[in-house]
Amino acid sequence: MIVSIASGKGGTGKTTVAVNLALALEGAMPIRFLDCDVEEPNAHLFLHPEIERSEKVSLPVPVVDESKCNGCGKCARVCAFHAILAFSSRTIVLPELCHGCGGCALLCPQGAITESPKVIGEVETGRAGDIRFAHGRTGIGSPLAPPVVKAVREALDKEGLGAGLTIIDAPPGTSCPVVASIKGSDYCVLVTEPTPFGLNDLGLAVGLVRELGIPCGVVINRAGLGDEAVSAYCSREGIPVLLEIPYDRKYAECYAKGGRLVDDFPELRGALKGLWRKISASGESGAEGEDGRREMGEI
Amino acid sequence: MISGKGGTGKTSVVASFAALAENKVLVDCDVDAADLHLLLSPEVVESHEFMASRQATVDVSRCTGCGHCSEVCRFGAIAMAYGHPTIDPISCEGCTVCSHICPEGAITMVDVMSGHWYVSHTRFGPMVHAKLKAAEENSGKLVSQVRRKAREIAESQGHELIITDGPPGVGCPVISSISGVDLALIVTEPTVAGVHDMERVLDLTCHFGVESAVCINKCDLDEANAERIEDYCCARGIEIAGKIPFDEEMVRAVVRGEPPVLYGDGAPDCAGPDSVAGEAAQAIRQLWDRVAVLLARDAGSF
Ligand code: SF4
Ligand code: SF4
Ligand code: SF4
Ligand code: SF4
């Protein structure tokens, strides 16, 4: 089963929920943890994985052979991202803008364009205790996150873990890197906080997961610190509130230090196991059952 | 104002600056999950559609089902089913390659609306903000659009300052938000994640040669991490422009839908340093004073 942890708003405790869910279930089933927040990956700060492998992520960008190019300008006309400019004397590629679509190389009438890989980020895989771990990072000033997210999602595929649980820590927001992270999940947990910001951004996130057809439930973090509008919204929309984590300064301090909440606070270990029971139960009662779910053990 | 990590309290600080600064235009560049409007209650005076992306569509009557389009699409957006291609609008990046390659000319590109942008009136001055539709890209372009409009308003109406609430992360929209600014104020928090993300975002501002200063929000949450931030910034020659203590009043202000500096009954001016205003509000005032000095110093070099 693939469970993604997302939130419209940043800083609601998405990584906290993802990491502590993984830790609470470690040992009970095979766990894979994918940190797909490739702009600001944070899960490693809490899981301290031993990194075993590191691979560069690259995108094919065009290289123009000037001896073959006749300056016809076709490449510049077809590029939807204005990443290649043709002048009569020279053709210039702007690699930061290139999406690697391959159009220019395919369509150049002179066959003057080949492609060479440009590094846009990296993916690291390893192990944190019994948890298989992968995360990625975009290069600084390299704005294309989705291909790096894709590489993280595929990083552990070759290990063929089969049954078990894959936890995806998604980036904040609702734009394309988020889609790349949560697409194909069996369930999406939306972490929010009980404030107007949390409510506003939760509404956006719900819109996105519904568009993608992913069943979702909500975790309200720092419950008690804000108002009741988020709970009211959830009941109105028929979205289950899976867990409320009360606001407590000692949780915030533990998080600040990079501590593991489930180790320091046994009540949270129980709460996160309960969260998992609700997720897996909703998976079974969901429209389409998947093979992986049947193999999941009880905790 | 940017933060790298989300949820550091950036928007609350921006809204406070909106109340404290004079003669400014406000911009929300977090087009993906805009929140500033919740504290400034803007009245929308202009609304525009944002058309930046295109999507492939297939004219089935011309398609022979040769499958070339599906072979060339690198984004996995075209699946062949029952002899004809279907295009997944979420995966399509609008690269146009399939439309060029189709031997029957069966694929055309259509404009799609990716969101809206607005010019609004707030009690603190004009505000430009936007809303990108879910699952859309081109957030960088929308940020540029919103900033261009803000600049236009500033120039035509004689506003000297543009205050921008930037998006989280270090990607496209952040890069678009900081290009050409006089100062990037990074709002961070003393957590391991806050420190990590601040370092990444400082790498970014340095990469683009943008002058930066840092503000530590919730500074008393973890002394050791706060110290790490200070040491790190000191070593890189980055000024700590202010420190805001943790104060539940910040959350209550958000719930009330107000900038945190407007505590209690007060307009900004009635809450002097000795008033009942919370510690965080006072710290934000001091932060703003310092930022104003940094900006004035910068203005000298125009
Ligand atoms: S399409 Fe080919 S030949 Fe024409 S300008 Fe581009 S690289 Fe040169
Ligand atoms: S590969 Fe695509 S995006 Fe890159 S330059 Fe060529 S046409 Fe443009
Ligand atoms: S390339 Fe054109 S004709 Fe061939 S399958 Fe695609 S749409 Fe149909
Ligand atoms: S426009 Fe590009 S991404 Fe979209 S379907 Fe065609 S080839 Fe694929």
Side-chain angles (χ1 to χ4, degrees):
Chain A
M1 186 177 193
I2 303 175
V3 174
S4 51
I5 318 286
S7 71
K9 177 177 174 352
T12 54
K14 186 172 40 62
T15 299
T16 305
V17 171
V19 161
N20 287 286
L21 179 62
L23 292 170
L25 300 178
E26 185 182 7
M29 65 186 76
I31 306 264
R32 313 196 260 186
F33 190 101
L34 307 178
D35 186 352
C36 286
D37 188 357
V38 299
E39 286 183 38
E40 299 286 18
N42 285 149
H44 66 285
L45 301 169
F46 302 90
L47 288 172
H48 303 288
E50 250 170 70
I51 298 299
E52 294 159 357
R53 232 179 32 241
S54 164
E55 276 166 43
K56 300 277 181 241
V57 180
S58 54
L59 205 64
V61 300
V63 178
V64 180
D65 179 345
E66 292 196 17
S67 67
K68 289 189 186 159
C69 170
N70 65 6
C72 72
K74 170 113 186 174
C75 51
R77 284 194 300 278
V78 299
C79 179
F81 308 104
H82 310 291
I84 189 162
L85 308 172
F87 304 103
S88 52
S89 55
R90 233 171 98 83
T91 301
I92 298 172
V93 179
L94 305 170
E96 319 77 62
L97 298 180
C98 174
H99 286 224
C101 73
C104 53
L106 195 65
L107 297 162
C108 168
Q110 305 301 320
I113 301 182
T114 51
E115 295 180 288
S116 92
K118 175 193 174 235
V119 174
I120 57 162
E122 61 174 343
V123 168
E124 292 179 325
T125 49
R127 165 179 302 285
D130 287 338
I131 300 168
R132 296 294 299 148
F133 178 91
H135 69 175
R137 214 179 250 117
T138 52
I140 284 296
S142 183
L144 272 188
V148 184
V149 171
K150 196 159 165 271
V152 175
R153 297 250 346 228
E154 289 164 359
L156 298 177
D157 282 356
K158 38 189 117 119
E159 294 176 9
L161 195 80
L165 173 64
T166 300
I167 297 174
I168 293 176
D169 188 2
T174 54
S175 63
C176 30
V178 183
V179 175
S181 302
I182 70 176
K183 226 176 137 185
S185 317
D186 300 301
Y187 197 89
C188 185
V189 175
L190 300 172
V191 183
T192 190
E193 58 179 33
T195 66
F197 288 176
L199 176 63
N200 182 58
D201 300 349
L202 174 64
L204 303 174
V206 166
L208 177 67
V209 295
R210 285 190 173 155
E211 193 171 332
L212 294 173
I214 305 172
C216 70
V218 166
V219 170
I220 302 178
N221 194 16
R222 299 183 203 116
L225 198 55
D227 57 13
E228 298 301 318
V230 168
S231 318
Y233 165 84
C234 290
S235 66
R236 218 168 42 240
E237 292 285 325
I239 302 164
V241 175
L242 305 166
L243 174 65
E244 294 192 31
I245 303 175
Y247 169 72
D248 192 328
R249 185 164 169 131
K250 63 182 195 279
Y251 298 160
E253 285 171 0
C254 172
Y255 167 81
K257 289 191 175 45
R260 302 169 167 205
L261 289 172
V262 292
D263 291 349
D264 292 4
F265 307 103
E267 72 274 17
L268 290 181
R269 178 175 290 270
L272 283 154
K273 283 187 177 171
L275 170 64
W276 164 244
R277 276 192 297 271
K278 287 189 189 164
I279 297 171
S280 57
S282 86
E284 273 152 24
S285 62
E288 320 135 279
E290 265 190 31
D291 295 338
R293 285 180 194 144
R294 260 176 263 131
E295 297 161 38
M296 220 85 64
E298 273 296 305
I299 319 152
Chain B
M1 309 202 16
I2 49 176
S3 63
K5 182 180 180 315
T8 59
K10 173 175 51 63
T11 298
S12 292
V13 179
V14 172
S16 297
F17 280 15
L20 295 170
E22 276 167 21
N23 199 16
K24 73 272 151 182
V25 179
L26 301 156
V27 193
D28 193 346
C29 284
D30 191 354
V31 297
D32 197 8
D35 277 339
L36 188 58
H37 63 280
L38 298 170
L39 298 186
L40 301 184
S41 341
E43 220 175 275
V44 174
V45 289
E46 272 178 43
S47 166
H48 302 265
E49 288 189 343
F50 175 65
M51 314 283 289
S53 53
R54 289 192 297 167
Q55 244 164 39
T57 49
V58 182
D59 176 353
V60 196
S61 67
R62 292 164 87 171
C63 169
T64 59
C66 70
H68 281 333
C69 52
S70 148
E71 282 158 31
V72 297
C73 176
R74 286 198 177 161
F75 304 100
I78 308 183
M80 297 298 289
Y82 306 108
H84 288 299
T86 38
I87 293 173
D88 169 12
I90 291 178
S91 300
C92 175
E93 295 233 351
C95 73
T96 75
V97 174
C98 55
S99 69
H100 288 289
I101 214 77
C102 172
E104 311 300 329
I107 301 184
T108 46
M109 302 301 297
V110 292
D111 286 334
V112 289
M113 197 198 38
S114 314
H116 286 91
W117 60 275
Y118 314 96
V119 179
S120 293
H121 173 75
T122 76
R123 59 185 159 145
F124 307 114
M127 169 172 174
V128 190
H129 49 131
K131 181 67 211 89
L132 195 68
K133 274 173 56 186
E136 276 298 328
E137 46 187 324
N138 286 312
S139 50
K141 271 191 205 157
L142 183 51
V143 166
S144 305
Q145 171 64 54
V146 161
R147 289 193 61 202
R148 207 177 313 126
K149 184 67 192 178
R151 211 181 165 98
E152 245 174 68
I153 294 174
E155 277 165 7
S156 68
Q157 301 179 9
H159 300 287
E160 283 164 358
L161 179 65
I162 298 177
I163 302 177
T164 305
D165 190 4
V170 292
C172 271
V174 184
I175 294 171
S176 301
S177 298
I178 60 170
S179 75
V181 301
D182 295 306
L183 180 70
L185 181 64
I186 297 162
V187 181
T188 188
E189 61 179 27
T191 62
V192 287
V195 177
H196 174 267
D197 296 353
M198 175 199 72
E199 291 175 10
R200 292 257 296 166
V201 89
L202 275 172
D203 285 345
L204 186 77
T205 55
C206 292
H207 180 90
F208 288 102
V210 172
E211 188 172 330
S212 315
V214 165
C215 153
I216 312 178
N217 192 15
K218 307 172 203 162
C219 63
D220 51 348
L221 188 60
D222 187 296
E223 308 262 320
N225 280 323
E227 230 165 83
R228 259 176 76 199
I229 295 174
E230 294 194 42
D231 292 348
Y232 181 86
C233 289
C234 178
R236 278 185 85 154
I238 307 278
E239 171 167 336
I240 305 283
K243 292 197 261 182
I244 306 169
F246 181 85
D247 185 346
E248 288 184 14
E249 196 47 46
M250 291 277 274
V251 182
R252 283 195 281 273
V254 170
V255 170
R256 283 200 306 271
E258 273 195 345
V261 283
L262 299 187
Y263 274 166
D265 50 32
D269 327 87
C270 41
D274 307 319
S275 78
V276 290
E279 279 179 86
Q282 288 182 36
I284 294 175
R285 278 161 202 281
Q286 284 163 12
L287 170 69
W288 166 245
D289 290 343
R290 183 61 200 155
V291 168
V293 169
L294 292 175
L295 289 170
R297 201 168 64 187
D298 238 50
S301 57
F302 277 155

